[in-house]
PDB file of all heavy atoms in Angstrom:
ATOM      1  N   ARG C  23     -85.915  13.247 -37.851  1.00  0.00           N
ATOM      2  CA  ARG C  23     -87.027  13.204 -36.915  1.00  0.00           C
ATOM      3  C   ARG C  23     -88.318  12.712 -37.550  1.00  0.00           C
ATOM      4  O   ARG C  23     -89.275  12.374 -36.856  1.00  0.00           O
ATOM      5  CB  ARG C  23     -87.275  14.617 -36.341  1.00  0.00           C
ATOM      6  CG  ARG C  23     -86.275  15.080 -35.315  1.00  0.00           C
ATOM      7  CD  ARG C  23     -86.842  16.248 -34.538  1.00  0.00           C
ATOM      8  NE  ARG C  23     -87.904  15.791 -33.649  1.00  0.00           N
ATOM      9  CZ  ARG C  23     -88.918  16.572 -33.231  1.00  0.00           C
ATOM     10  NH1 ARG C  23     -88.988  17.807 -33.652  1.00  0.00           N
ATOM     11  NH2 ARG C  23     -89.832  16.102 -32.427  1.00  0.00           N
ATOM     12  N   LEU C  30     -95.734   8.603 -34.310  1.00  0.00           N
ATOM     13  CA  LEU C  30     -96.639   9.216 -33.362  1.00  0.00           C
ATOM     14  C   LEU C  30     -98.047   9.326 -33.964  1.00  0.00           C
ATOM     15  O   LEU C  30     -99.046   8.968 -33.330  1.00  0.00           O
ATOM     16  CB  LEU C  30     -96.148  10.598 -32.944  1.00  0.00           C
ATOM     17  CG  LEU C  30     -97.037  11.358 -31.946  1.00  0.00           C
ATOM     18  CD1 LEU C  30     -97.052  10.652 -30.591  1.00  0.00           C
ATOM     19  CD2 LEU C  30     -96.564  12.790 -31.789  1.00  0.00           C
ATOM     20  N   HIS C  93    -102.108  14.119 -23.483  1.00  0.00           N
ATOM     21  CA  HIS C  93    -100.976  13.819 -22.612  1.00  0.00           C
ATOM     22  C   HIS C  93    -101.068  12.409 -22.047  1.00  0.00           C
ATOM     23  O   HIS C  93    -100.050  11.697 -21.971  1.00  0.00           O
ATOM     24  CB  HIS C  93    -100.920  14.822 -21.473  1.00  0.00           C
ATOM     25  CG  HIS C  93    -100.334  16.171 -21.889  1.00  0.00           C
ATOM     26  ND1 HIS C  93    -100.435  17.275 -21.104  1.00  0.00           N
ATOM     27  CD2 HIS C  93     -99.656  16.512 -22.998  1.00  0.00           C
ATOM     28  CE1 HIS C  93     -99.814  18.276 -21.712  1.00  0.00           C
ATOM     29  NE2 HIS C  93     -99.337  17.833 -22.883  1.00  0.00           N
ATOM     30  N   MET C  96    -100.086  10.071 -24.817  1.00  0.00           N
ATOM     31  CA  MET C  96     -98.649  10.138 -25.131  1.00  0.00           C
ATOM     32  C   MET C  96     -97.798   9.448 -24.060  1.00  0.00           C
ATOM     33  O   MET C  96     -96.694   8.985 -24.366  1.00  0.00           O
ATOM     34  CB  MET C  96     -98.220  11.604 -25.297  1.00  0.00           C
ATOM     35  CG  MET C  96     -98.790  12.246 -26.549  1.00  0.00           C
ATOM     36  SD  MET C  96     -98.338  13.995 -26.701  1.00  0.00           S
ATOM     37  CE  MET C  96     -97.081  13.954 -27.978  1.00  0.00           C
ATOM     38  N   ASN C 103     -85.428   7.919 -30.073  1.00  0.00           N
ATOM     39  CA  ASN C 103     -84.920   9.007 -30.917  1.00  0.00           C
ATOM     40  C   ASN C 103     -85.845  10.240 -30.909  1.00  0.00           C
ATOM     41  O   ASN C 103     -86.072  10.872 -31.954  1.00  0.00           O
ATOM     42  CB  ASN C 103     -84.752   8.539 -32.356  1.00  0.00           C
ATOM     43  CG  ASN C 103     -83.761   7.359 -32.458  1.00  0.00           C
ATOM     44  OD1 ASN C 103     -82.759   7.350 -31.799  1.00  0.00           O
ATOM     45  ND2 ASN C 103     -84.103   6.384 -33.267  1.00  0.00           N
ATOM     46  N   VAL C 104     -86.399  10.558 -29.754  1.00  0.00           N
ATOM     47  CA  VAL C 104     -87.200  11.754 -29.609  1.00  0.00           C
ATOM     48  C   VAL C 104     -86.398  12.772 -28.804  1.00  0.00           C
ATOM     49  O   VAL C 104     -85.856  12.435 -27.731  1.00  0.00           O
ATOM     50  CB  VAL C 104     -88.537  11.473 -28.877  1.00  0.00           C
ATOM     51  CG1 VAL C 104     -89.319  12.749 -28.695  1.00  0.00           C
ATOM     52  CG2 VAL C 104     -89.347  10.445 -29.662  1.00  0.00           C
ATOM     53  N   SER C 105     -86.265  13.972 -29.310  1.00  0.00           N
ATOM     54  CA  SER C 105     -85.412  14.985 -28.674  1.00  0.00           C
ATOM     55  C   SER C 105     -86.004  15.377 -27.310  1.00  0.00           C
ATOM     56  O   SER C 105     -87.196  15.338 -27.079  1.00  0.00           O
ATOM     57  CB  SER C 105     -85.292  16.223 -29.559  1.00  0.00           C
ATOM     58  OG  SER C 105     -86.571  16.772 -29.824  1.00  0.00           O
ATOM     59  N   GLU C 106     -85.095  15.749 -26.393  1.00  0.00           N
ATOM     60  CA  GLU C 106     -85.495  16.176 -25.054  1.00  0.00           C
ATOM     61  C   GLU C 106     -85.337  17.702 -24.943  1.00  0.00           C
ATOM     62  O   GLU C 106     -84.504  18.299 -25.621  1.00  0.00           O
ATOM     63  CB  GLU C 106     -84.619  15.476 -23.979  1.00  0.00           C
ATOM     64  CG  GLU C 106     -84.910  13.986 -23.884  1.00  0.00           C
ATOM     65  CD  GLU C 106     -84.166  13.335 -22.720  1.00  0.00           C
ATOM     66  OE1 GLU C 106     -83.663  14.086 -21.846  1.00  0.00           O
ATOM     67  OE2 GLU C 106     -84.110  12.100 -22.664  1.00  0.00           O
ATOM     68  N   ALA C 107     -86.105  18.265 -24.041  1.00  0.00           N
ATOM     69  CA  ALA C 107     -86.093  19.711 -23.866  1.00  0.00           C
ATOM     70  C   ALA C 107     -84.799  20.154 -23.171  1.00  0.00           C
ATOM     71  O   ALA C 107     -84.153  19.382 -22.464  1.00  0.00           O
ATOM     72  CB  ALA C 107     -87.278  20.134 -23.005  1.00  0.00           C
ATOM     73  N   GLU C 108     -84.452  21.405 -23.354  1.00  0.00           N
ATOM     74  CA  GLU C 108     -83.289  22.001 -22.689  1.00  0.00           C
ATOM     75  C   GLU C 108     -83.601  22.127 -21.203  1.00  0.00           C
ATOM     76  O   GLU C 108     -84.744  22.333 -20.798  1.00  0.00           O
ATOM     77  CB  GLU C 108     -83.035  23.398 -23.271  1.00  0.00           C
ATOM     78  CG  GLU C 108     -81.880  24.150 -22.598  1.00  0.00           C
ATOM     79  CD  GLU C 108     -81.783  25.602 -23.070  1.00  0.00           C
ATOM     80  OE1 GLU C 108     -82.829  26.204 -23.342  1.00  0.00           O
ATOM     81  OE2 GLU C 108     -80.661  26.112 -23.125  1.00  0.00           O
ATOM     82  N   TYR C 168     -88.667  16.522 -13.539  1.00  0.00           N
ATOM     83  CA  TYR C 168     -88.217  16.210 -14.895  1.00  0.00           C
ATOM     84  C   TYR C 168     -87.805  14.730 -14.992  1.00  0.00           C
ATOM     85  O   TYR C 168     -88.153  14.039 -15.958  1.00  0.00           O
ATOM     86  CB  TYR C 168     -87.042  17.097 -15.287  1.00  0.00           C
ATOM     87  CG  TYR C 168     -86.604  16.925 -16.732  1.00  0.00           C
ATOM     88  CD1 TYR C 168     -87.247  17.607 -17.751  1.00  0.00           C
ATOM     89  CD2 TYR C 168     -85.588  16.047 -17.056  1.00  0.00           C
ATOM     90  CE1 TYR C 168     -86.871  17.451 -19.077  1.00  0.00           C
ATOM     91  CE2 TYR C 168     -85.198  15.888 -18.391  1.00  0.00           C
ATOM     92  CZ  TYR C 168     -85.862  16.579 -19.392  1.00  0.00           C
ATOM     93  OH  TYR C 168     -85.486  16.406 -20.693  1.00  0.00           O
ATOM     94  N   GLU C 171     -90.797  12.517 -15.063  1.00  0.00           N
ATOM     95  CA  GLU C 171     -91.485  12.624 -16.384  1.00  0.00           C
ATOM     96  C   GLU C 171     -90.777  11.783 -17.442  1.00  0.00           C
ATOM     97  O   GLU C 171     -91.422  11.146 -18.270  1.00  0.00           O
ATOM     98  CB  GLU C 171     -91.531  14.080 -16.810  1.00  0.00           C
ATOM     99  CG  GLU C 171     -92.553  14.373 -17.870  1.00  0.00           C
ATOM    100  CD  GLU C 171     -93.975  14.368 -17.394  1.00  0.00           C
ATOM    101  OE1 GLU C 171     -94.354  15.220 -16.582  1.00  0.00           O
ATOM    102  OE2 GLU C 171     -94.714  13.457 -17.812  1.00  0.00           O
ATOM    103  N   MET C 172     -89.444  11.768 -17.387  1.00  0.00           N
ATOM    104  CA  MET C 172     -88.666  11.004 -18.351  1.00  0.00           C
ATOM    105  C   MET C 172     -88.899   9.483 -18.141  1.00  0.00           C
ATOM    106  O   MET C 172     -88.935   8.700 -19.086  1.00  0.00           O
ATOM    107  CB  MET C 172     -87.194  11.337 -18.274  1.00  0.00           C
ATOM    108  CG  MET C 172     -86.840  12.737 -18.749  1.00  0.00           C
ATOM    109  SD  MET C 172     -87.419  13.122 -20.446  1.00  0.00           S
ATOM    110  CE  MET C 172     -88.909  14.093 -20.073  1.00  0.00           C
ATOM    111  N   SER C 175     -91.910   8.443 -19.786  1.00  0.00           N
ATOM    112  CA  SER C 175     -91.860   8.670 -21.228  1.00  0.00           C
ATOM    113  C   SER C 175     -92.766   9.853 -21.614  1.00  0.00           C
ATOM    114  O   SER C 175     -93.453   9.813 -22.648  1.00  0.00           O
ATOM    115  CB  SER C 175     -92.277   7.426 -22.014  1.00  0.00           C
ATOM    116  OG  SER C 175     -92.001   7.595 -23.381  1.00  0.00           O
ATOM    117  N   GLY C 176     -92.739  10.860 -20.771  1.00  0.00           N
ATOM    118  CA  GLY C 176     -93.594  12.045 -21.019  1.00  0.00           C
ATOM    119  C   GLY C 176     -93.235  12.750 -22.323  1.00  0.00           C
ATOM    120  O   GLY C 176     -92.073  13.051 -22.582  1.00  0.00           O
ATOM    121  N   MET C 177     -94.218  12.961 -23.182  1.00  0.00           N
ATOM    122  CA  MET C 177     -94.003  13.697 -24.434  1.00  0.00           C
ATOM    123  C   MET C 177     -95.043  14.826 -24.485  1.00  0.00           C
ATOM    124  O   MET C 177     -96.109  14.733 -23.925  1.00  0.00           O
ATOM    125  CB  MET C 177     -94.148  12.794 -25.630  1.00  0.00           C
ATOM    126  CG  MET C 177     -93.016  11.776 -25.766  1.00  0.00           C
ATOM    127  SD  MET C 177     -93.039  10.943 -27.382  1.00  0.00           S
ATOM    128  CE  MET C 177     -94.571  10.006 -27.267  1.00  0.00           C
ATOM    129  N   ILE C 178     -94.663  15.897 -25.208  1.00  0.00           N
ATOM    130  CA  ILE C 178     -95.567  17.026 -25.327  1.00  0.00           C
ATOM    131  C   ILE C 178     -95.835  17.364 -26.800  1.00  0.00           C
ATOM    132  O   ILE C 178     -95.054  16.960 -27.689  1.00  0.00           O
ATOM    133  CB  ILE C 178     -95.022  18.279 -24.602  1.00  0.00           C
ATOM    134  CG1 ILE C 178     -93.795  18.831 -25.308  1.00  0.00           C
ATOM    135  CG2 ILE C 178     -94.708  17.940 -23.164  1.00  0.00           C
ATOM    136  CD1 ILE C 178     -93.341  20.186 -24.792  1.00  0.00           C
ATOM    137  N   HIS C 179     -96.897  18.093 -27.045  1.00  0.00           N
ATOM    138  CA  HIS C 179     -97.241  18.533 -28.395  1.00  0.00           C
ATOM    139  C   HIS C 179     -96.195  19.506 -28.920  1.00  0.00           C
ATOM    140  O   HIS C 179     -95.760  19.423 -30.050  1.00  0.00           O
ATOM    141  CB  HIS C 179     -98.637  19.191 -28.382  1.00  0.00           C
ATOM    142  CG  HIS C 179     -99.104  19.707 -29.695  1.00  0.00           C
ATOM    143  ND1 HIS C 179     -98.624  20.909 -30.229  1.00  0.00           N
ATOM    144  CD2 HIS C 179     -99.994  19.227 -30.601  1.00  0.00           C
ATOM    145  CE1 HIS C 179     -99.230  21.113 -31.411  1.00  0.00           C
ATOM    146  NE2 HIS C 179    -100.053  20.106 -31.648  1.00  0.00           N
ATOM    147  N   GLY C 180     -95.806  20.440 -28.059  1.00  0.00           N
ATOM    148  CA  GLY C 180     -94.733  21.394 -28.409  1.00  0.00           C
ATOM    149  C   GLY C 180     -95.209  22.724 -28.909  1.00  0.00           C
ATOM    150  O   GLY C 180     -94.468  23.714 -28.916  1.00  0.00           O
ATOM    151  N   GLU C 181     -96.481  22.814 -29.380  1.00  0.00           N
ATOM    152  CA  GLU C 181     -97.010  24.086 -29.883  1.00  0.00           C
ATOM    153  C   GLU C 181     -98.534  24.065 -29.782  1.00  0.00           C
ATOM    154  O   GLU C 181     -99.245  24.377 -30.720  1.00  0.00           O
ATOM    155  CB  GLU C 181     -96.554  24.313 -31.312  1.00  0.00           C
ATOM    156  CG  GLU C 181     -96.612  25.781 -31.753  1.00  0.00           C
ATOM    157  CD  GLU C 181     -96.015  26.013 -33.135  1.00  0.00           C
ATOM    158  OE1 GLU C 181     -95.955  25.094 -33.956  1.00  0.00           O
ATOM    159  OE2 GLU C 181     -95.625  27.158 -33.398  1.00  0.00           O
ATOM    160  N   TYR C 182     -99.014  23.739 -28.586  1.00  0.00           N
ATOM    161  CA  TYR C 182    -100.470  23.630 -28.393  1.00  0.00           C
ATOM    162  C   TYR C 182    -101.062  25.005 -28.185  1.00  0.00           C
ATOM    163  O   TYR C 182    -101.036  25.559 -27.074  1.00  0.00           O
ATOM    164  CB  TYR C 182    -100.756  22.707 -27.203  1.00  0.00           C
ATOM    165  CG  TYR C 182    -102.204  22.274 -27.099  1.00  0.00           C
ATOM    166  CD1 TYR C 182    -102.669  21.205 -27.871  1.00  0.00           C
ATOM    167  CD2 TYR C 182    -103.099  22.918 -26.256  1.00  0.00           C
ATOM    168  CE1 TYR C 182    -103.991  20.799 -27.780  1.00  0.00           C
ATOM    169  CE2 TYR C 182    -104.426  22.501 -26.171  1.00  0.00           C
ATOM    170  CZ  TYR C 182    -104.869  21.462 -26.922  1.00  0.00           C
ATOM    171  OH  TYR C 182    -106.180  21.044 -26.843  1.00  0.00           O
ATOM    172  N   PHE C 199     -98.145  18.450 -35.001  1.00  0.00           N
ATOM    173  CA  PHE C 199     -97.339  17.847 -33.929  1.00  0.00           C
ATOM    174  C   PHE C 199     -95.848  17.918 -34.221  1.00  0.00           C
ATOM    175  O   PHE C 199     -95.050  17.233 -33.565  1.00  0.00           O
ATOM    176  CB  PHE C 199     -97.747  16.391 -33.727  1.00  0.00           C
ATOM    177  CG  PHE C 199     -99.036  16.201 -32.962  1.00  0.00           C
ATOM    178  CD1 PHE C 199    -100.274  16.272 -33.637  1.00  0.00           C
ATOM    179  CD2 PHE C 199     -99.036  15.971 -31.582  1.00  0.00           C
ATOM    180  CE1 PHE C 199    -101.462  16.098 -32.929  1.00  0.00           C
ATOM    181  CE2 PHE C 199    -100.234  15.786 -30.896  1.00  0.00           C
ATOM    182  CZ  PHE C 199    -101.436  15.860 -31.563  1.00  0.00           C
ATOM    183  N   GLU C 200     -95.432  18.715 -35.234  1.00  0.00           N
ATOM    184  CA  GLU C 200     -94.027  18.716 -35.671  1.00  0.00           C
ATOM    185  C   GLU C 200     -93.025  19.021 -34.548  1.00  0.00           C
ATOM    186  O   GLU C 200     -91.897  18.581 -34.575  1.00  0.00           O
ATOM    187  CB  GLU C 200     -93.821  19.723 -36.811  1.00  0.00           C
ATOM    188  CG  GLU C 200     -94.288  19.234 -38.159  1.00  0.00           C
ATOM    189  CD  GLU C 200     -95.710  19.666 -38.432  1.00  0.00           C
ATOM    190  OE1 GLU C 200     -96.428  20.002 -37.475  1.00  0.00           O
ATOM    191  OE2 GLU C 200     -96.111  19.689 -39.610  1.00  0.00           O
ATOM    192  N   LYS C 201     -93.447  19.805 -33.544  1.00  0.00           N
ATOM    193  CA  LYS C 201     -92.515  20.213 -32.506  1.00  0.00           C
ATOM    194  C   LYS C 201     -92.603  19.322 -31.244  1.00  0.00           C
ATOM    195  O   LYS C 201     -92.116  19.693 -30.183  1.00  0.00           O
ATOM    196  CB  LYS C 201     -92.748  21.663 -32.118  1.00  0.00           C
ATOM    197  CG  LYS C 201     -92.392  22.607 -33.274  1.00  0.00           C
ATOM    198  CD  LYS C 201     -92.448  24.069 -32.865  1.00  0.00           C
ATOM    199  CE  LYS C 201     -92.059  24.967 -34.036  1.00  0.00           C
ATOM    200  NZ  LYS C 201     -92.108  26.414 -33.680  1.00  0.00           N
ATOM    201  N   PHE C 202     -93.201  18.139 -31.420  1.00  0.00           N
ATOM    202  CA  PHE C 202     -93.328  17.263 -30.229  1.00  0.00           C
ATOM    203  C   PHE C 202     -91.934  16.818 -29.747  1.00  0.00           C
ATOM    204  O   PHE C 202     -90.989  16.696 -30.519  1.00  0.00           O
ATOM    205  CB  PHE C 202     -94.196  16.041 -30.558  1.00  0.00           C
ATOM    206  CG  PHE C 202     -93.482  14.838 -31.126  1.00  0.00           C
ATOM    207  CD1 PHE C 202     -93.163  13.754 -30.325  1.00  0.00           C
ATOM    208  CD2 PHE C 202     -93.090  14.815 -32.463  1.00  0.00           C
ATOM    209  CE1 PHE C 202     -92.498  12.663 -30.840  1.00  0.00           C
ATOM    210  CE2 PHE C 202     -92.439  13.713 -32.982  1.00  0.00           C
ATOM    211  CZ  PHE C 202     -92.124  12.652 -32.194  1.00  0.00           C
ATOM    212  N   ARG C 203     -91.831  16.631 -28.444  1.00  0.00           N
ATOM    213  CA  ARG C 203     -90.545  16.251 -27.817  1.00  0.00           C
ATOM    214  C   ARG C 203     -90.833  15.671 -26.424  1.00  0.00           C
ATOM    215  O   ARG C 203     -91.959  15.729 -25.948  1.00  0.00           O
ATOM    216  CB  ARG C 203     -89.613  17.465 -27.698  1.00  0.00           C
ATOM    217  CG  ARG C 203     -90.142  18.559 -26.831  1.00  0.00           C
ATOM    218  CD  ARG C 203     -89.209  19.769 -26.786  1.00  0.00           C
ATOM    219  NE  ARG C 203     -89.684  20.789 -25.871  1.00  0.00           N
ATOM    220  CZ  ARG C 203     -90.554  21.728 -26.169  1.00  0.00           C
ATOM    221  NH1 ARG C 203     -91.058  21.781 -27.384  1.00  0.00           N
ATOM    222  NH2 ARG C 203     -90.901  22.642 -25.267  1.00  0.00           N
ATOM    223  N   ARG C 204     -89.788  15.191 -25.803  1.00  0.00           N
ATOM    224  CA  ARG C 204     -89.916  14.719 -24.409  1.00  0.00           C
ATOM    225  C   ARG C 204     -89.679  15.912 -23.484  1.00  0.00           C
ATOM    226  O   ARG C 204     -88.692  16.650 -23.629  1.00  0.00           O
ATOM    227  CB  ARG C 204     -88.892  13.618 -24.144  1.00  0.00           C
ATOM    228  CG  ARG C 204     -89.115  12.381 -24.998  1.00  0.00           C
ATOM    229  CD  ARG C 204     -88.165  11.280 -24.670  1.00  0.00           C
ATOM    230  NE  ARG C 204     -88.466  10.640 -23.383  1.00  0.00           N
ATOM    231  CZ  ARG C 204     -87.664   9.762 -22.771  1.00  0.00           C
ATOM    232  NH1 ARG C 204     -86.499   9.455 -23.265  1.00  0.00           N
ATOM    233  NH2 ARG C 204     -88.041   9.228 -21.644  1.00  0.00           N
ATOM    234  N   ASP C 205     -90.597  16.083 -22.544  1.00  0.00           N
ATOM    235  CA  ASP C 205     -90.507  17.230 -21.640  1.00  0.00           C
ATOM    236  C   ASP C 205     -91.509  17.021 -20.525  1.00  0.00           C
ATOM    237  O   ASP C 205     -92.298  16.059 -20.561  1.00  0.00           O
ATOM    238  CB  ASP C 205     -90.763  18.531 -22.392  1.00  0.00           C
ATOM    239  CG  ASP C 205     -90.249  19.755 -21.673  1.00  0.00           C
ATOM    240  OD1 ASP C 205     -89.815  19.633 -20.510  1.00  0.00           O
ATOM    241  OD2 ASP C 205     -90.249  20.854 -22.272  1.00  0.00           O
ATOM    242  N   ILE C 206     -91.508  17.914 -19.576  1.00  0.00           N
ATOM    243  CA  ILE C 206     -92.541  17.910 -18.536  1.00  0.00           C
ATOM    244  C   ILE C 206     -93.837  18.281 -19.244  1.00  0.00           C
ATOM    245  O   ILE C 206     -93.936  19.345 -19.866  1.00  0.00           O
ATOM    246  CB  ILE C 206     -92.193  18.919 -17.425  1.00  0.00           C
ATOM    247  CG1 ILE C 206     -90.936  18.461 -16.674  1.00  0.00           C
ATOM    248  CG2 ILE C 206     -93.387  19.108 -16.478  1.00  0.00           C
ATOM    249  CD1 ILE C 206     -90.343  19.471 -15.739  1.00  0.00           C
ATOM    250  N   GLN C 207     -94.849  17.430 -19.151  1.00  0.00           N
ATOM    251  CA  GLN C 207     -96.036  17.611 -19.974  1.00  0.00           C
ATOM    252  C   GLN C 207     -96.788  18.928 -19.741  1.00  0.00           C
ATOM    253  O   GLN C 207     -97.359  19.482 -20.693  1.00  0.00           O
ATOM    254  CB  GLN C 207     -96.978  16.412 -19.811  1.00  0.00           C
ATOM    255  CG  GLN C 207     -96.445  15.163 -20.518  1.00  0.00           C
ATOM    256  CD  GLN C 207     -97.517  14.068 -20.607  1.00  0.00           C
ATOM    257  OE1 GLN C 207     -98.270  13.824 -19.666  1.00  0.00           O
ATOM    258  NE2 GLN C 207     -97.569  13.393 -21.734  1.00  0.00           N
ATOM    259  N   GLU C 209     -95.694  21.648 -19.610  1.00  0.00           N
ATOM    260  CA  GLU C 209     -95.103  22.710 -20.440  1.00  0.00           C
ATOM    261  C   GLU C 209     -96.101  23.115 -21.513  1.00  0.00           C
ATOM    262  O   GLU C 209     -96.244  24.317 -21.842  1.00  0.00           O
ATOM    263  CB  GLU C 209     -93.789  22.235 -21.076  1.00  0.00           C
ATOM    264  CG  GLU C 209     -93.188  23.173 -22.082  1.00  0.00           C
ATOM    265  CD  GLU C 209     -92.719  24.493 -21.522  1.00  0.00           C
ATOM    266  OE1 GLU C 209     -92.508  24.576 -20.296  1.00  0.00           O
ATOM    267  OE2 GLU C 209     -92.543  25.451 -22.300  1.00  0.00           O
ATOM    268  N   ASP C 210     -96.815  22.140 -22.099  1.00  0.00           N
ATOM    269  CA  ASP C 210     -97.877  22.427 -23.065  1.00  0.00           C
ATOM    270  C   ASP C 210     -98.974  23.281 -22.451  1.00  0.00           C
ATOM    271  O   ASP C 210     -99.467  24.233 -23.057  1.00  0.00           O
ATOM    272  CB  ASP C 210     -98.539  21.112 -23.550  1.00  0.00           C
ATOM    273  CG  ASP C 210     -97.844  20.534 -24.766  1.00  0.00           C
ATOM    274  OD1 ASP C 210     -97.166  21.291 -25.492  1.00  0.00           O
ATOM    275  OD2 ASP C 210     -98.002  19.324 -24.996  1.00  0.00           O
ATOM    276  N   TYR C 212     -98.731  25.272 -19.835  1.00  0.00           N
ATOM    277  CA  TYR C 212     -98.186  26.619 -19.575  1.00  0.00           C
ATOM    278  C   TYR C 212     -98.259  27.475 -20.850  1.00  0.00           C
ATOM    279  O   TYR C 212     -98.739  28.608 -20.846  1.00  0.00           O
ATOM    280  CB  TYR C 212     -96.742  26.546 -19.100  1.00  0.00           C
ATOM    281  CG  TYR C 212     -95.918  27.758 -19.517  1.00  0.00           C
ATOM    282  CD1 TYR C 212     -96.099  28.993 -18.897  1.00  0.00           C
ATOM    283  CD2 TYR C 212     -94.994  27.672 -20.558  1.00  0.00           C
ATOM    284  CE1 TYR C 212     -95.415  30.117 -19.306  1.00  0.00           C
ATOM    285  CE2 TYR C 212     -94.280  28.777 -20.971  1.00  0.00           C
ATOM    286  CZ  TYR C 212     -94.484  30.010 -20.337  1.00  0.00           C
ATOM    287  OH  TYR C 212     -93.783  31.101 -20.768  1.00  0.00           O
ATOM    288  N   TYR C 213     -97.812  26.884 -21.960  1.00  0.00           N
ATOM    289  CA  TYR C 213     -97.759  27.617 -23.242  1.00  0.00           C
ATOM    290  C   TYR C 213     -99.182  28.027 -23.678  1.00  0.00           C
ATOM    291  O   TYR C 213     -99.397  29.191 -24.058  1.00  0.00           O
ATOM    292  CB  TYR C 213     -97.095  26.730 -24.287  1.00  0.00           C
ATOM    293  CG  TYR C 213     -97.046  27.331 -25.671  1.00  0.00           C
ATOM    294  CD1 TYR C 213     -96.133  28.352 -25.974  1.00  0.00           C
ATOM    295  CD2 TYR C 213     -97.865  26.852 -26.678  1.00  0.00           C
ATOM    296  CE1 TYR C 213     -96.089  28.893 -27.257  1.00  0.00           C
ATOM    297  CE2 TYR C 213     -97.836  27.379 -27.960  1.00  0.00           C
ATOM    298  CZ  TYR C 213     -96.941  28.411 -28.236  1.00  0.00           C
ATOM    299  OH  TYR C 213     -96.894  28.944 -29.509  1.00  0.00           O
ATOM    300  N   TYR C 249     -94.264  24.132 -11.120  1.00  0.00           N
ATOM    301  CA  TYR C 249     -93.602  24.326 -12.411  1.00  0.00           C
ATOM    302  C   TYR C 249     -94.374  25.390 -13.230  1.00  0.00           C
ATOM    303  O   TYR C 249     -93.751  26.300 -13.826  1.00  0.00           O
ATOM    304  CB  TYR C 249     -93.583  23.020 -13.192  1.00  0.00           C
ATOM    305  CG  TYR C 249     -92.966  23.118 -14.575  1.00  0.00           C
ATOM    306  CD1 TYR C 249     -91.593  23.046 -14.743  1.00  0.00           C
ATOM    307  CD2 TYR C 249     -93.762  23.303 -15.691  1.00  0.00           C
ATOM    308  CE1 TYR C 249     -91.015  23.129 -16.013  1.00  0.00           C
ATOM    309  CE2 TYR C 249     -93.207  23.418 -16.939  1.00  0.00           C
ATOM    310  CZ  TYR C 249     -91.839  23.334 -17.103  1.00  0.00           C
ATOM    311  OH  TYR C 249     -91.279  23.444 -18.363  1.00  0.00           O
ATOM    312  N   ARG C 253     -92.905  29.041 -14.593  1.00  0.00           N
ATOM    313  CA  ARG C 253     -92.909  29.380 -16.004  1.00  0.00           C
ATOM    314  C   ARG C 253     -93.671  30.668 -16.271  1.00  0.00           C
ATOM    315  O   ARG C 253     -93.293  31.486 -17.098  1.00  0.00           O
ATOM    316  CB  ARG C 253     -93.561  28.231 -16.825  1.00  0.00           C
ATOM    317  CG  ARG C 253     -92.759  26.987 -16.876  1.00  0.00           C
ATOM    318  CD  ARG C 253     -91.428  27.152 -17.625  1.00  0.00           C
ATOM    319  NE  ARG C 253     -91.608  27.008 -19.080  1.00  0.00           N
ATOM    320  CZ  ARG C 253     -91.114  27.862 -19.974  1.00  0.00           C
ATOM    321  NH1 ARG C 253     -90.452  28.931 -19.594  1.00  0.00           N
ATOM    322  NH2 ARG C 253     -91.271  27.663 -21.260  1.00  0.00           N
TER     323      ARG C 253
END
Side-chain angles (χ1 to χ4, degrees):
R23 286 198 70 206
L30 180 67
H93 282 167
M96 290 177 105
N103 303 319
V104 178
S105 59
E106 291 187 13
E108 177 189 34
Y168 186 84
E171 198 72 67
M172 291 306 100
S175 191
M177 291 191 294
I178 70 170
H179 179 282
E181 202 173 23
Y182 193 81
F199 283 83
E200 282 93 341
K201 294 188 178 179
F202 89 101
R203 63 183 184 274
R204 297 183 74 190
D205 200 350
I206 294 169
Q207 285 193 320
E209 173 65 19
D210 270 338
Y212 150 73
Y213 177 74
Y249 178 85
R253 291 294 276 132

